[in-house]
Amino acid sequence: METKAQVLYDFTAEPGNNELSVGEGETITITNQNVGGGWIEAKNSRGEVGLVPEDYIEIKQAQPFTSGGNAASLDLSLFDSHIPTPAPASTAQVDVAQPETPVTPVTPGFSSTSPDETSNGNDPWAVFDNNASGGVSNNWAAQPEGTETGKTSSNAWHSGGHGHPQAYQGPDIYPYPCLIDLSGAEDDEWDEEWDDVKSSGGYAESDAGEGGAINRGGAHGSSMKIALNKFPGFSKSGPEVFLLSKQPAKGTKLPVYGGEVGPVWAYPDYQLDCVVADPKKGSKMYGLKSYIEYQVTPTTTNKPVNHRYKHFDWLYERLLDKFGSAIPIPCLPDKQVTGRFEEEFIKMRMERLQGWMSRMCRHPVISSSEVFQLFISYKDEKDWKTGKRKAEKDETVGVMIFSTIEPEGLPDLDLIEVEQKCEQFNRFTRAMDDGVKDLLTVGNEHWKRCTGPLPKEYQRIGKAFQNLSSVFTSSGYEGEAALTDALTAAGKTYEDIAQMVAEQPKKDLHFLMETNNEYKGLLGCFPDTIGVHKAAIEKVKEADKLVATSKITPSEKTTMSKRASTMSYALQAEMNHFHSNRIYDYNRVMQQYLEQQVKFYEMIAEKLRHAHSQFTTM
């Protein structure tokens, strides 16, 4: 008996991906329900067969056989009282918009990379192979003083190697909100990744999709895996997990020192750098599904390792779990449903992944962590598998990361000073967030004007000059050829200027906007991190009441105060790292912007001088 299904949402197939386009309300026939990974194989009324997302359809259930008679319906209301009440989240509420369409999964299966895809000769993405990073180093400021250590390039800011070039294409198509893919993948699906099958780059394809447990960018899914509480250490209680913990600290110690600007992290002697480049198209399920794989090459080994987007997402999840209470971890670039294999999108994603990796490399705590080092320099599949499982079983996550922080030679802070520092950083990050958003708004408006009405105005001026020249030519007067030629040349000059104006935002405003967009994402992480510290302060304030009611001892109260002080030093070290990078980033991007502006207006001035020289001085 054939199994029928009703299509709940429109779905457009990705060309060349063995998918089937279906429309809402359409009835389809299920031909294979065991594809896996959130997909089923189905046939439409026209006889076309292909893959359809399982969440986009509703399988019609066969009606159970019932005998005649009026059987009394079963009253299940008595179970209502036994339904457990959900525990309230310990973090701030997250407003999630009502979903419009369900999650689009990514089909699982075997990985295979054709011989053509392993050589640049026939690889459709080989255009990226030559100097894919744009010849720019990722060596951003790492020390609190913010000294520049990066290499120069004839094409500065062209690639993600510079840290910020996230392919800002202007306000009309950025950031592709309609193309965001919210598909997720369970962590345990990775366990099969190295066991059975291998890919050309050392990665086999698991049953996981392109995503991770936390989805970013929009609310299009019917069931979004959004972690309302980002910090696992908080899942059952707040910062008292650390403040009152009696377990010995586990993991590598993270020292905080007193520097010229205040508490600072311990910076390495050698600044880690890495390049994300050479995207290649691979396939799985014997070619039914495709993906893009990137090479990540760290400066420590100069040996590339291959990663898909979902592997970057796995790293993001691990970093967020482990360090998110103390260090803001910016989100990755958004996922996407359609157009994943278009050249512009691949280039944009590669540049944004490069920017994200560069920022992680610049952070002394993140870059030296085991999980990050594993990601950029695993030796083989066994090394990866062992390290991956170790990272997933790490117990020093959430607020317990503070147990590894050791202020070196720094006095304990009193609670008032801790609270003042926390509030100071809170005010600054909120104010900077407003300033960054304002600049993004103004920049968007300017971009639209430069690519729309402003070039048209210059074109109209150019056309008017040329029309006037045509009128003068029709006079028949022989002595005005020099004038008409000069008028025509002036008109063409203004048309050239119109083209220059339209193209200029990609040369200067692009990078300013990308820097602000990256900081907008980074600043969006601070409320969660600062919220951890505020909650700890409130717990310490309650210590006297807890002692009075014999819930804690006076020595435990003292321990809570000391640990709140440790948390404050971690926050100060992180803010000083943020400030040093902020000063470096904005100095650099403003220099870049103004240099390009100067060149732009100099080119316009030169063209106008040339047009001016065509007219005869009377």
Side-chain angles (χ1 to χ4, degrees):
M1 179 179 177
E2 292 183 338
T3 303
K4 299 289 186 179
Q6 184 88 8
V7 179
L8 302 176
Y9 311 97
D10 293 337
F11 173 72
T12 304
E14 183 79 19
N17 233 3
N18 282 18
E19 296 171 352
L20 178 67
S21 295
V22 292
E24 182 181 349
E26 182 180 349
T27 299
I28 57 176
T29 302
I30 307 300
T31 56
N32 185 356
Q33 206 167 338
N34 300 317
V35 174
W39 294 85
I40 56 96
E41 185 184 71
K43 180 172 65 175
N44 61 19
S45 59
R46 298 180 296 278
E48 300 168 334
V49 178
L51 301 175
V52 177
E54 198 170 10
D55 287 341
Y56 279 59
I57 65 169
E58 182 180 48
I59 296 176
K60 296 181 178 179
Q61 301 294 334
Q63 294 297 322
F65 173 78
T66 57
S67 60
N70 298 324
S73 60
L74 196 60
D75 186 5
L76 302 179
S77 61
L78 62 94
F79 293 102
D80 291 350
S81 61
H82 297 283
I83 298 175
T85 303
S90 58
T91 53
Q93 293 182 351
V94 176
D95 293 327
V96 181
Q98 285 294 328
E100 297 175 355
T101 59
V103 174
T104 303
V106 176
T107 310
F110 298 101
S111 169
S112 62
T113 303
S114 67
D116 287 347
E117 290 165 349
T118 58
S119 65
N120 289 345
N122 298 316
D123 180 14
W125 313 115
V127 64
F128 293 101
D129 294 349
N130 296 326
N131 195 19
S133 65
V136 185
S137 168
N138 305 326
N139 256 349
W140 290 49
Q143 302 298 332
E145 291 77 18
T147 56
E148 180 175 348
T149 57
K151 299 176 183 178
T152 59
S153 169
S154 58
N155 191 16
W157 291 91
H158 175 266
S159 160
H162 216 311
H164 283 295
Q166 298 181 349
Y168 188 88
Q169 300 297 327
D172 293 333
I173 63 173
Y174 177 82
Y176 302 90
C178 61
L179 303 180
I180 295 168
D181 179 3
L182 295 169
S183 58
E186 299 294 342
D187 290 338
D188 58 4
E189 291 174 329
W190 279 66
D191 291 340
E192 302 300 324
E193 204 157 35
W194 289 103
D195 293 343
D196 304 315
V197 286
K198 303 171 185 177
S199 70
S200 61
Y203 267 101
E205 297 313 317
S206 71
D207 290 350
E210 289 286 359
I214 293 180
N215 291 282
R216 300 166 293 278
H220 296 278
S222 59
S223 57
M224 295 184 296
K225 296 180 181 178
I226 296 180
L228 297 180
N229 188 329
K230 290 186 177 180
F231 309 121
F234 275 69
S235 57
K236 295 183 179 179
S237 54
E240 65 271 11
V241 171
F242 163 66
L243 295 176
L244 293 172
S245 174
K246 296 182 179 180
Q247 296 180 356
K250 299 179 181 179
T252 305
K253 298 300 180 184
L254 303 176
V256 174
Y257 298 97
E260 294 181 4
V261 295
V264 294
W265 298 114
Y267 286 84
D269 295 331
Y270 174 76
Q271 174 60 46
L272 175 65
D273 196 2
C274 73
V275 174
V276 180
D278 196 22
K280 283 187 169 62
K281 189 175 182 180
S283 61
K284 58 185 179 179
M285 282 191 69
Y286 302 103
L288 291 178
K289 302 294 289 183
S290 301
Y291 60 87
I292 300 298
E293 195 170 54
Y294 305 87
Q295 278 192 350
V296 179
T297 307
T299 53
T300 48
T301 64
N302 286 321
K303 293 180 180 179
V305 293
N306 292 338
H307 287 296
R308 286 178 57 191
Y309 178 88
K310 68 173 184 180
H311 305 147
F312 286 92
D313 200 56
W314 177 87
L315 174 64
Y316 166 76
E317 294 289 346
R318 301 282 70 75
L319 294 177
L320 184 64
D321 286 351
K322 186 166 183 65
F323 299 109
S325 296
I327 299 170
I329 308 295
C331 290
L332 288 170
D334 292 321
K335 303 182 181 75
Q336 181 157 316
V337 176
T338 59
R340 295 192 300 270
F341 307 117
E342 294 176 2
E343 184 175 321
E344 278 301 313
F345 173 73
I346 292 170
K347 181 180 178 182
M348 179 189 72
R349 170 170 279 183
M350 181 179 69
E351 291 177 343
R352 292 186 171 184
L353 289 174
Q354 175 70 77
W356 189 84
M357 287 295 291
S358 295
R359 188 162 291 279
M360 296 300 99
C361 284
R362 293 167 64 184
H363 199 289
V365 175
I366 300 295
S367 61
S368 60
S369 65
E370 266 191 87
V371 64
F372 192 79
Q373 288 294 321
L374 170 73
F375 185 81
I376 63 175
S377 58
Y378 66 88
K379 297 175 183 176
D380 51 36
E381 54 191 62
K382 182 179 179 182
D383 185 37
W384 168 261
K385 184 175 179 181
T386 303
K388 179 185 75 70
R389 288 182 174 172
K390 181 180 178 182
E392 291 169 349
K393 294 177 180 178
D394 191 351
E395 296 179 3
T396 310
V397 295
V399 291
M400 290 309 295
I401 191 63
F402 293 110
S403 67
T404 65
I405 294 172
E406 291 188 346
E408 298 286 347
L410 298 174
D412 291 336
L413 302 172
D414 61 45
L415 189 62
I416 295 176
E417 190 173 0
V418 169
E419 190 169 18
Q420 288 174 344
K421 291 289 185 183
C422 186
E423 187 55 37
Q424 175 188 348
F425 298 143
N426 188 40
R427 285 196 303 268
F428 175 80
T429 52
R430 283 188 298 176
M432 182 176 174
D433 188 49
D434 291 340
V436 163
K437 289 177 180 176
D438 181 56
L439 186 53
L440 283 170
T441 300
V442 173
N444 270 317
E445 293 171 355
H446 182 63
W447 187 298
K448 289 180 180 179
R449 188 165 181 268
C450 286
T451 54
L454 194 56
K456 290 179 182 178
E457 290 297 319
Y458 282 106
Q459 287 175 342
R460 289 177 61 189
I461 293 172
K463 290 293 183 186
F465 284 152
Q466 293 179 72
N467 289 339
L468 185 60
S469 175
S470 298
V471 172
F472 286 176
T473 302
S474 66
S475 70
Y477 184 69
E478 296 182 0
E480 64 180 354
L483 173 61
T484 55
D485 288 347
L487 272 173
T488 300
K492 291 181 178 179
T493 295
Y494 274 87
E495 288 181 340
D496 291 343
I497 291 174
Q499 185 66 25
M500 291 169 59
V501 169
E503 294 175 354
Q504 187 59 24
K506 292 182 180 180
K507 299 178 181 179
D508 51 25
L509 187 59
H510 163 87
F511 308 108
L512 184 60
M513 296 292 282
E514 277 303 308
T515 299
N516 277 274
N517 190 59
E518 185 174 349
Y519 269 89
K520 176 186 173 185
L522 187 58
L523 288 163
C525 301
F526 270 98
D528 284 333
T529 302
I530 292 176
V532 173
H533 295 268
K534 286 187 173 181
I537 291 169
E538 292 304 315
K539 291 296 180 184
V540 175
K541 286 181 177 180
E542 296 172 7
D544 287 331
K545 293 181 181 179
L546 296 174
V547 171
T549 55
S550 300
K551 291 183 178 180
I552 64 172
T553 65
S555 63
E556 286 175 328
K557 173 189 171 183
T558 303
T559 299
M560 289 177 69
S561 297
K562 289 174 68 70
R563 290 180 176 178
S565 175
T566 297
M567 292 178 67
S568 180
Y569 278 125
L571 178 61
Q572 292 179 61
E574 184 56 30
M575 287 305 301
N576 287 331
H577 174 79
F578 174 81
H579 288 320
S580 65
N581 280 274
R582 171 181 57 82
I583 292 169
Y584 174 82
D585 292 342
Y586 277 92
N587 264 306
R588 193 167 188 174
V589 75
M590 284 305 299
Q591 285 180 335
Q592 170 74 8
Y593 176 74
L594 293 173
E595 285 170 4
Q596 290 297 323
Q597 283 275 291
V598 169
K599 290 179 182 178
F600 171 64
Y601 286 109
E602 284 178 344
M603 288 172 63
I604 289 180
E606 181 59 31
K607 283 186 171 292
L608 292 175
R609 275 194 289 266
H610 179 72
H612 174 269
S613 67
Q614 303 300 306
F615 291 88
T616 304
T617 303
M618 306 298 289

